[in-house]
Amino acid sequence: MDGNRLRDEIVASLRQEIEAASQAAVCLATVLVGNDKPSQIYVRNKHRKAQEAGMVSRHVELAQNATQTEVQSAVRELADDDSVHGILVQLPLPAGVDVEAVLDLIPPEKDVDGLTERSMGRLLRGRVGHVPCTPLGVMELLNRYGIETSGRRAVVIGRSTLVGLPQVLLLGRKGCDATVTLAHSRTKDLAALCRKADIIIAAAGMAGLVTADFVSPQATVVDVGISRTAAGIVGDVDFDSVQEVAGAITPMPGGTGPMTIGCLLKNTLAAARMLGAFPR
Ligand code: NAP
């Protein structure tokens, strides 16, 4: 399942929509605190793709030693600015910065990363709001590749609020209708559990965790994990052995990462609509 191709399709279709409504400037703002290299790369890619989609993008960068007050006032300024529609605070923030206090300042309409407690509450309650981009990107991949979820058994490996927990909610909610098991580091005999699954979503951050013996023939395997090794970026899935067994599989890189960006941009256009700044 080719995430790069789907991301390019999403970007092209957003561009068309934005160009068709020529008066509307859709703006994504990012906040980056500190000098974490992967975060710098992620933010740069998000801006590049936002511009390709015809969006305006703003970037606020603060030093590694920025104070809580400085980070909060940067986010508050973007929250109060009517020309900004989506706000993304790149995580992780440096140690010592209270993440929750920062996220609390993002209004739910502008929370295009879907990570604030109000967005999470909306997802749980089935109300309109933004859904975290990575699990949303996984759903889009499954959907676009025609992977049936209804009545299927899914295992999600990882229980973070960023990926695993919202993934479980999305797969299990009405309309998607998978029967979902949430696995984590205390799960016993993960391989046997996964072998019973039609769909495996691996989001543990442990290189090569999912091997061929985890996968039943023709199962769908989606790799979210990212590990930086001497050999480059690798996922949670041992791609070479698993592709021999799986019916569908994502590469890493080139699978869920680009879909995360595609969904961030979709959320940003949705944010502009929610705020009445873009025609419905
Ligand atoms: P996280 O907060 O560290 O959570 C990892 C989860 O995996 C935890 O729930 C942990 O269990 C579980 N886990 C760890 N080792 C395990 C094992 N051996 N067996 C079963 N479960 C295990 O990480 P995260 O933020 O969710 O991110 C997960 C991975 O996805 C990371 O590699 C991250 O870089 C990547 N990521 C990718 C994208 C993308 O666009 N592709 C986006 C975001 C994140 P416990 O709860 O028991 O500790």
Side-chain angles (χ1 to χ4, degrees):
M1 293 179 280
D2 182 350
N4 282 324
R5 187 174 65 77
L6 291 190
R7 187 260 338 267
D8 289 347
E9 284 176 21
I10 292 170
V11 166
S13 115
L14 290 170
R15 187 177 187 96
Q16 252 182 10
E17 261 188 275
I18 289 169
E19 281 177 355
S22 49
Q23 89 289 1
V26 176
C27 176
L28 170 68
T30 57
V31 178
L32 177 66
V33 188
N35 41 27
D36 179 54
K37 276 271 168 304
S39 294
Q40 288 171 343
I41 296 168
Y42 293 148
V43 167
R44 207 180 306 136
N45 285 340
K46 286 166 186 171
H47 281 276
R48 222 183 47 229
K49 292 297 160 189
Q51 276 150 21
E52 278 177 35
M55 295 180 183
V56 177
S57 69
R58 286 249 294 267
H59 182 52
V60 179
E61 202 161 325
L62 297 169
Q64 180 77 24
N65 61 357
T67 63
Q68 183 77 33
T69 312
E70 284 167 338
V71 179
Q72 290 195 190
S73 56
V75 173
R76 202 174 282 116
E77 207 170 296
L78 296 171
D80 291 342
D81 185 337
D82 287 343
S83 68
V84 170
H85 307 115
I87 302 173
L88 178 140
V89 176
Q90 184 66 43
L91 301 181
L93 291 174
V97 179
D98 177 353
V99 182
E100 297 301 331
V102 172
L103 293 182
D104 281 348
L105 296 170
I106 305 175
E109 293 75 17
K110 295 192 180 188
D111 177 24
V112 286
D113 229 3
L115 294 180
T116 65
E117 63 178 36
R118 291 177 71 188
S119 295
M120 289 278 170
R122 288 179 179 204
L123 173 60
L124 198 65
R125 299 282 307 160
R127 293 177 58 182
V128 173
H130 296 297
V131 174
C133 307
T134 301
L136 191 60
V138 170
M139 299 312 293
E140 182 105 14
L141 262 170
L142 296 177
N143 183 31
R144 299 259 197 135
Y145 275 92
I147 308 292
E148 182 62 81
T149 51
S150 179
R152 299 293 160 92
R153 280 175 296 205
V155 170
V156 175
I157 310 173
R159 55 178 162 185
S160 70
T161 48
L162 183 67
V163 189
L165 286 177
Q167 191 74 72
V168 167
L169 293 173
L170 291 172
L171 281 161
R173 73 178 173 182
K174 248 196 188 327
C176 231
D177 303 318
T179 304
V180 195
T181 303
L182 176 58
H184 45 75
S185 67
R186 303 291 174 95
T187 298
K188 296 237 177 344
D189 203 350
L190 184 60
L193 185 74
C194 288
R195 270 197 303 275
K196 292 193 198 121
D198 304 299
I199 300 167
I200 300 169
I201 315 286
M206 178 155 272
L209 171 69
V210 176
T211 45
D213 59 317
F214 281 50
V215 180
S216 68
Q218 295 308 309
T220 296
V221 182
V222 178
D223 197 352
V224 175
I226 298 174
S227 301
R228 280 155 221 285
T229 69
I233 289 177
V234 297
D236 286 356
V237 177
D238 179 29
F239 185 86
D240 289 342
S241 71
V242 171
Q243 72 162 338
E244 303 284 335
V245 192
I249 185 170
T250 54
M252 175 58 69
T256 54
M259 291 306 288
T260 297
I261 297 186
C263 287
L264 169 71
L265 301 179
K266 280 179 89 166
N267 282 352
T268 304
L269 183 59
R273 286 206 165 99
M274 283 180 201
L275 292 161
F278 194 86
R280 283 183 187 273

